[in-house]
Amino acid sequence: MASEDILVFTTIGDRDMAEEQISEMLEEGIIVSGTIFPEVELVYLWEGKITVDTENKILLKAKADKYDAIEAYIMKHHPYIAPEIIRMDVSFGSPAYKAFVADKIKKNS
């Protein structure tokens, strides 16, 4: 059985844009919260050379039924041609935290 709760990971280079996009998704009610891990290093192979860049890793917490809206939002607003979008089905941990998340969703609906 799939979880009702999800985490969605994406990345974006510009910190202000990351905050703006999280704020817009919160206002649209498609996420519960977003966390920005600032200036993480991305190491990858590009044209045969090891390349190191910095970007902001974004962690979005949401209900599973909002995933399609989250993906559509990211695809529409993200500056990358093919942005990273990773979905993980999860259980939001402790009963107290799960109740807190449910209450936030209820208040924001």
Side-chain angles (χ1 to χ4, degrees):
M1 180 175 136
S3 172
E4 293 180 15
D5 306 314
I6 61 172
L7 298 175
V8 178
F9 290 91
T10 190
T11 57
I12 197 164
D14 183 89
R15 169 66 186 247
D16 292 336
M17 186 180 288
E19 289 180 22
E20 180 181 316
Q21 290 188 5
I22 289 170
S23 296
E24 288 176 0
M25 286 186 275
L26 284 166
E27 289 169 359
E28 290 182 20
I30 61 175
I31 64 170
V32 175
S33 68
T35 302
I36 301 170
F37 298 92
E39 295 190 12
V40 297
E41 288 190 349
L42 171 66
V43 182
Y44 59 99
L45 196 60
W46 183 257
E47 298 180 349
K49 295 180 182 176
I50 302 285
T51 304
V52 180
D53 282 328
T54 58
E55 59 188 1
N56 297 280
K57 178 68 77 176
I58 300 169
L59 168 64
L60 306 169
K61 297 175 187 151
K63 300 306 279 181
D65 64 351
K66 300 293 187 183
Y67 176 76
D68 289 341
I70 295 166
E71 181 178 326
Y73 179 93
I74 293 169
M75 293 303 295
K76 181 177 180 182
H77 295 93
H78 206 287
Y80 298 173
I81 294 169
E84 172 186 274
I85 305 173
I86 299 172
R87 172 189 169 151
M88 295 178 62
D89 292 334
V90 298
S91 173
F92 281 148
S94 71
Y97 185 69
K98 203 166 182 156
F100 171 78
V101 169
D103 186 57
K104 290 284 285 179
I105 291 169
K106 183 177 171 184
K107 287 179 181 175
N108 292 335
S109 295

